[in-house]
Amino acid sequence: MKNNGQTQREEADRLFCARIADMARQQQRDNLPCFTRFLDEREQRLAAIELRRQHFPQDQVCFWAGFDVPQEAPARRMLGLFPDYLALSEGMDRAIWEEQFPIQRVALFFRAQDAITHRDILGSLMGLNLKRELIGEILTGEDFAVVFCTGAAAQLILSELERVGRAGIKKQQGYEGELPPLYRLEYQTGTVSSLRLDCAVSLATNLSREKSAALIEGGQVSLNFFEENKISREVGEGDILSIRGYGRYVLSKVGSVSKKGRLHLTLGKYV
């Protein structure tokens, strides 16, 4: 039996997919590029599924974060649908697509000793009453950060944001310098009895199998950005686990079998 949270999520997914279908029809009717706001990874998966269901040409579809990032890497991206005369053909430079996305960069500079984090910056941006969908990735370095956002969000940040937490900042529009990394991975290895989801969650969280199973059955675990309640679901290399309260992990490597018949696993935690 579905709980209220599941029902609400399914309704939200249905409405989101309906908007993507409307967007596809609008693009084909007007024959002009169309763009969404920033989508999280789950929304990107749903959008891709809906576009295939609508038989929208895949060589006219682009997800773009505003900077180079591997397509399999988690990142907030916009979706762009392009007309057939801009379809991605062999030898075509993707920059022709990418430069059309309505994505701007705003750099925030601060003192290294202020130790400003991604969470600090996002909190300050939300304090400007910006909707999350207007903000893409926030790349944070030692003494500066680069915010990818819509034009409207950039204007508000440049005019209104003066501090992040208690730290003063300087701002620059259209930053073109070297970018901080999107993320880094902290690796951990261990052995598990099988490739079941509860085993992988147990390794990631250092909890017992029973407690890991409770997290899964309680809707606290997503596999490849979709909630997964089946503890025996098998996982594999490249799968991404999101565990509420513990973080996000990628199953980096399935290794050899130990003398006791257990599998060596390597997980990378996004930090």
Side-chain angles (χ1 to χ4, degrees):
M1 186 175 179
K2 297 177 182 178
N3 59 39
N4 189 51
Q6 289 175 312
T7 301
Q8 290 178 342
R9 170 56 67 89
E10 289 178 358
E11 177 63 13
D13 288 350
R14 187 189 66 79
L15 292 173
F16 174 79
C17 290
R19 290 197 298 271
I20 296 298
D22 287 343
M23 177 181 172
R25 288 189 287 268
Q26 176 188 340
Q27 192 289 312
Q28 293 181 323
R29 181 183 67 247
D30 299 341
N31 206 31
L32 294 171
C34 295
F35 305 95
T36 63
R37 302 295 179 87
F38 286 98
L39 307 178
D40 62 27
E41 296 87 352
R42 175 187 172 84
E43 290 170 329
Q44 292 169 47
R45 299 288 179 98
L46 288 171
I49 292 170
E50 181 61 28
L51 289 171
R52 287 194 293 270
R53 196 179 73 83
Q54 295 291 328
H55 304 292
F56 193 89
Q58 294 303 295
D59 59 358
Q60 296 171 224
V61 177
C62 181
F63 292 93
W64 176 237
F67 60 102
D68 288 328
V69 56
Q71 286 299 310
E72 67 275 9
R76 296 180 65 84
R77 298 175 173 91
M78 283 187 181
L79 164 64
L81 302 183
F82 292 86
D84 53 6
Y85 61 83
L86 288 176
L88 190 64
S89 57
E90 185 176 354
M92 175 182 168
D93 187 354
R94 277 177 59 95
I96 295 175
W97 278 359
E98 294 164 357
E99 65 189 10
Q100 297 190 53
F101 277 79
I103 299 177
Q104 295 196 21
R105 301 180 181 191
V106 177
L108 309 177
F109 298 92
F110 43 83
R111 300 180 306 171
Q113 58 264 38
D114 290 326
I116 289 176
T117 66
H118 179 286
R119 179 177 293 182
D120 297 329
I121 296 171
L122 182 59
S124 294
L125 296 180
M126 296 299 97
L128 298 177
N129 292 321
L130 284 169
K131 293 183 178 180
R132 187 65 180 94
E133 63 187 17
L134 302 182
I135 305 296
E137 289 298 329
I138 303 170
L139 307 185
T140 308
E142 183 179 356
D143 58 359
F144 79 107
V146 180
V147 179
F148 292 81
C149 57
T150 65
Q155 291 180 7
L156 190 60
I157 294 168
L158 291 166
S159 63
E160 299 294 335
L161 187 65
E162 300 298 335
R163 308 183 71 81
V164 173
R166 297 181 178 179
I169 58 168
K170 294 182 179 180
K171 297 161 288 189
Q172 177 184 327
Q173 185 175 17
Y175 177 81
E176 295 296 336
E178 183 176 355
L179 296 172
L182 173 60
Y183 56 78
R184 61 186 178 87
L185 291 171
E186 290 183 348
Y187 291 99
Q188 61 189 87
T189 60
T191 61
V192 294
S193 59
S194 74
L195 289 176
R196 285 167 47 122
L197 180 59
D198 58 341
C199 295
V201 171
S202 177
L203 176 60
T205 60
N206 199 31
L207 295 174
S208 67
R209 288 271 298 277
E210 291 76 16
K211 290 183 178 179
S212 298
L215 286 177
I216 297 167
E217 293 174 335
Q220 307 299 302
V221 177
S222 294
L223 176 62
N224 296 325
F225 312 113
F226 288 88
E227 184 179 307
E228 179 56 68
N229 303 109
K230 189 176 180 180
I231 63 176
S232 60
R233 177 73 67 190
E234 188 168 293
V235 298
E237 285 188 5
D239 282 346
I240 295 177
L241 306 177
S242 301
I243 309 170
R244 196 172 304 167
Y246 292 89
R248 178 178 291 172
Y249 305 79
V250 57
L251 204 169
S252 298
K253 182 179 180 181
V254 178
S256 59
V257 180
S258 71
K259 293 181 179 179
K260 295 184 178 181
R262 293 175 64 83
L263 286 167
H264 288 92
L265 289 191
T266 300
L267 295 175
K269 182 177 182 181
Y270 291 95
V271 295

